[in-house]
Amino acid sequence: MTSLTRREFISWGIAGTTALGLVTTENDTTIAAGTPAAASLRSQPIQSVTQAKKLSELIVTGKAIRQGFGGVGFHAQMFLETCTQDFFDQVLAKRWRELNPRFARIFHSWTEGQPGKRDSRVLDALARQMVFMKEASETEIYLTTSDLKDILSQHELRAYAAAVADDLEYLLNCGATNLKYYCCTNELSLDQWADMHDDLPRFRTYHAAIADEIKRRKLGIKLLATDASPTEYWNTIEWAARNMDDISGVYGGHHYINEHAPDNLEFYKWFRERCRWAVGLAKGKAKDFILGEFGPAQYFDSKYGLRWDTCKYFGTPLEGLAGLQLAEAALAAINAGVYAMGYWTFTDYPDRPTESSINHWGVFKWATNGAETRAPYYAYGLLTKFFRGPATVFEVESGDELLRVAALQHDENKTWSIAVLNREPLAMQIAVRIELMREPVVFRKYVYDPRHVPVTEDGDLQEPEGKVRVADSRLVDSVEAGTLTIYTTAFDESVPDSVKELEVTRIHDTRSPGQTAEANRLRWKGSPKADTCYYRIYHSGIRVGSTVAMEFMDTGPTQGQQGPYSVVAVNRSGNASR
């Protein structure tokens, strides 16, 4: 999404009071060439009841939908060129490691107002971010240039392609070898949003020039076509498959759920079929399809004299339900066979006084708004953590179309994760038979309930609700109405070693220019175990923060009070040291 988002497409979908009243309407929808017709829209109220219906039998078959699944992830701009080290250590890095996504889409940009000219400060920050992602979560990166240069001559085109390749090569040489995919523009935009949708040969011209440079330098980066949004523009991917497959390594597109309210029962099938069409198109060329950007319905209008770009449900009673719909979209894409996907966005864009626009799509807010988490953090975050790649996605047979189920086995350690999203108005008893499971095993169970969003301290993912034992290849349990339940064996019971040599020093904090504050500086020797994720800091038994570093500056309101400090290490499984 850019500030030049498709207002006309948003107006076709549900609007304002219609969505907030949970009222759906019939809409005619233009779809990409070759995709199925849109289904009728329907919805039903979610009831919070404990009475369960009859047992629903589900089968995780041995038939693979796709091997080498890349994972559920984010568009993830971290703005390391402007954020403080504390915000990175205590929020961005901590939450990235907590959610552990294996895939990310990121913007590459030029010097402001000068496309084709390197901004060394921003590029170096981008390199640091990409290397961090590689080391923290083995994240694969899809890079997209956000400000394509308007080229007038072949000489300019060759120079611009060389400048692109220079930046890509620089990132690789900085250690960002997780850079795997690149597209020359966001959503086919040049002068205006998506204007090259009507001039695809021009897009191919850019693509071909950059492909030549990448090939000449042997950079090993695949070019993506076409990054188009929404599904109404996915016909451009079909054009690319016919006219530029020789210079394209992967296909991809975006979509925002403007056509369906968050309680809509037809959305899952509707979106799965569109993704399935795109996957089939790419597969026909022996390529993958990436859902590079997606999210719930957009709010794009003026507010407080600023151009506001955000999810229309954030800050409303429907925020929790939007989190459920976001997870539902991810499950549809997984079951359609997409390679990887990225929700827009990991965090809000920073509010900048010099800009006239606001972009608040993150699963949590930026520093200036308290870094508060939003409901999708606790739904989609379960999927980024437990539906990461590389993995094999298996087909699930179900007699109940309102139970959305996805299952995969991770390539490493052969652990399993199964997601069950219950759109029935009643709790459901389920029996999941896993055909490839031969031995008894224990699954952890995590639940997201949009009626009771499990907000936690410092952006920790919710604790498991318990364990479910699988015997004779069958997992038997109950799932509440309108909830997302994750069952996973991707955990262990080990705990990190306790931190050692904790030192607390009273200091004058002078990091802010011209200001001095009283603070307690904590330093310690961390846990040596490889799967240590982050550290929780307590003062007199009360949580005062988290960090991935082995140093913490307590400048909070209780820092002047007496009382002991303690630091607890937390590992990838969420287990805390004693």
Side-chain angles (χ1 to χ4, degrees):
M1 291 228 332
T2 67
S3 58
L4 295 172
T5 308
R6 51 198 179 276
R7 188 188 303 268
E8 65 272 29
F9 285 115
I10 299 171
S11 68
W12 288 356
I14 52 177
T17 57
T18 303
L20 293 178
L22 278 178
V23 177
T24 56
T25 59
E26 297 287 343
N27 291 287
D28 293 326
T29 307
T30 303
I31 61 174
T35 57
S40 61
L41 306 182
R42 63 187 176 97
S43 62
Q44 68 184 33
I46 296 175
Q47 303 171 20
S48 180
V49 294
T50 56
Q51 180 183 1
K53 295 179 67 175
K54 66 180 182 181
L55 187 70
S56 182
E57 296 278 354
L58 308 170
I59 302 174
V60 179
T61 72
K63 180 181 178 181
I65 292 174
R66 78 152 296 130
Q67 296 176 322
F69 174 62
V72 179
F74 295 97
H75 180 101
Q77 218 73 28
M78 289 187 173
F79 306 98
L80 299 191
E81 68 275 16
T82 58
C83 84
T84 65
Q85 187 65 43
D86 279 0
F87 187 66
F88 175 75
D89 290 339
Q90 298 172 27
V91 178
L92 296 177
K94 183 270 181 187
R95 295 178 185 182
W96 189 264
R97 291 174 65 87
E98 175 89 359
L99 302 187
N100 204 24
R102 187 63 164 41
F103 175 80
R105 178 179 183 264
I106 307 174
F107 276 152
H108 158 265
S109 60
W110 305 107
T111 298
E112 187 173 358
Q114 302 180 67
K117 182 178 180 181
R118 176 180 294 181
D119 185 326
S120 296
R121 178 167 165 265
V122 172
L123 191 66
D124 285 341
L126 179 61
R128 292 197 305 273
Q129 175 183 334
M130 293 169 68
V131 171
F132 160 74
M133 288 178 167
K134 180 179 76 171
E135 295 173 348
S137 51
E138 299 179 314
T139 305
E140 286 189 341
I141 304 295
Y142 162 36
L143 198 67
T144 306
T145 294
S146 59
D147 46 353
L148 181 64
K149 183 177 182 178
D150 194 351
I151 301 296
L152 298 177
S153 69
Q154 282 297 316
H155 173 73
E156 278 189 300
L157 179 62
R158 287 192 295 271
Y160 182 78
V164 170
D166 285 346
D167 277 11
L168 298 180
E169 191 168 25
Y170 181 83
L171 292 169
L172 292 171
N173 290 338
C174 286
T177 53
N178 50 336
L179 172 54
K180 302 297 183 182
Y181 313 100
Y182 175 77
C183 185
C184 66
T185 180
N186 175 61
E187 298 182 345
L188 290 170
S189 303
L190 182 55
D191 296 319
Q192 297 180 5
W193 173 77
D195 52 355
M196 284 196 295
H197 168 266
D198 298 319
D199 191 1
L200 291 172
R202 190 172 195 184
F203 172 71
R204 188 193 188 284
T205 299
Y206 281 101
H207 206 78
I210 294 168
D212 286 346
E213 279 291 329
I214 287 176
K215 182 177 180 180
R216 184 177 67 82
R217 303 184 193 204
K218 300 179 180 179
L219 299 184
I221 296 170
K222 295 180 179 181
L223 292 186
L224 182 143
T226 60
D227 203 62
S229 181
T231 59
E232 289 82 1
Y233 279 0
W234 285 9
N235 57 343
T236 62
I237 303 170
E238 189 173 40
W239 185 93
R242 291 197 307 265
N243 295 282
M244 49 191 292
D245 183 67
D246 58 324
I247 51 175
S248 300
V250 65
Y251 293 97
H254 305 172
H255 187 70
Y256 288 82
I257 312 168
N258 295 310
E259 310 86 352
H260 302 83
D263 69 329
N264 185 270
L265 301 183
E266 299 293 346
F267 165 69
Y268 173 81
K269 182 178 179 180
W270 181 91
F271 191 55
R272 184 190 61 193
E273 293 310 306
R274 277 149 185 75
C275 290
R276 187 174 283 169
W277 172 84
V279 168
L281 181 70
K283 189 175 181 180
K285 298 294 185 178
K287 308 283 170 66
D288 286 322
F289 177 80
I290 291 173
L291 183 62
E293 192 181 304
F294 72 112
Q298 298 163 290
Y299 176 90
F300 184 75
D301 217 325
S302 294
K303 185 178 180 181
Y304 311 139
L306 299 170
R307 187 171 56 244
W308 210 275
D309 193 351
T310 185
C311 172
K312 71 192 307 177
Y313 308 119
F314 285 174
T316 78
L318 292 185
E319 183 177 310
L321 198 55
L324 190 72
Q325 188 186 47
L326 177 62
E328 187 175 40
L331 298 186
I334 291 168
N335 284 329
V338 304
Y339 173 71
M341 67 199 74
Y343 165 71
W344 177 284
T345 58
F346 177 58
T347 181
D348 284 356
Y349 274 43
D351 297 343
R352 291 172 172 163
T354 58
E355 296 185 3
S356 59
S357 63
I358 298 291
N359 198 299
H360 285 180
W361 274 94
V363 292
F364 61 91
K365 301 177 183 180
W366 189 252
T368 48
N369 290 312
E372 296 175 356
T373 54
R374 294 188 173 101
Y377 187 96
Y378 303 99
Y380 191 75
L382 291 175
L383 295 176
T384 65
K385 187 175 183 70
F386 296 117
F387 276 67
R388 58 181 268 116
T392 299
V393 178
F394 290 96
E395 184 178 284
V396 179
E397 295 179 358
S398 170
D400 189 337
E401 66 171 11
L402 296 183
L403 287 177
R404 328 301 200 187
V405 187
L408 59 71
Q409 186 178 39
H410 303 97
D411 291 356
E412 185 179 8
N413 301 326
K414 300 303 178 182
T415 51
W416 285 87
S417 290
I418 300 171
V420 181
L421 195 153
N422 181 15
R423 282 290 196 177
E424 290 280 5
L426 301 173
M428 295 290 291
Q429 288 286 336
I430 60 169
V432 184
R433 181 159 64 87
I434 308 166
E435 289 188 339
L436 297 182
M437 187 168 286
R438 302 287 182 260
E439 301 295 330
V441 68
V442 174
F443 282 78
R444 273 187 181 176
K445 175 183 178 179
Y446 295 82
V447 176
Y448 171 80
D449 185 342
R451 296 172 297 262
H452 309 286
V453 177
V455 179
T456 59
E457 289 185 284
D458 257 10
D460 301 349
L461 276 177
Q462 59 265 49
E463 293 289 327
E465 295 215 345
K467 296 177 181 176
V468 180
R469 182 173 294 276
V470 171
D472 299 324
S473 303
R474 279 167 59 90
L475 183 157
V476 180
D477 197 28
S478 177
V479 290
E480 290 296 318
T483 61
L484 169 69
T485 302
I486 303 294
Y487 301 95
T488 186
T489 65
F491 71 95
D492 62 46
E493 300 290 359
S494 67
V495 298
D497 294 336
S498 298
V499 303
K500 298 179 180 179
E501 302 176 20
L502 174 62
E503 296 179 354
V504 181
T505 306
R506 189 70 172 167
I507 66 165
H508 297 292
D509 183 8
T510 58
R511 292 174 299 172
S512 297
Q515 298 182 23
T516 300
E518 297 294 319
N520 292 324
R521 184 181 64 203
L522 285 70
R523 289 177 173 167
W524 59 89
K525 185 176 181 181
S527 175
K529 291 189 176 179
D531 72 338
T532 299
C533 189
Y534 66 94
Y535 300 92
R536 297 172 182 162
I537 296 88
Y538 297 86
H539 184 202
S540 298
I542 298 173
R543 179 93 164 261
V544 294
S546 307
T547 184
V548 298
M550 284 175 281
E551 178 176 321
F552 182 82
M553 199 81 72
D554 184 6
T555 58
T558 65
Q559 48 83 21
Q561 299 176 8
Q562 295 294 317
Y565 281 92
S566 60
V567 178
V568 173
V570 181
N571 66 15
R572 297 281 189 180
S573 295
N575 305 323
S577 61
R578 300 182 178 90

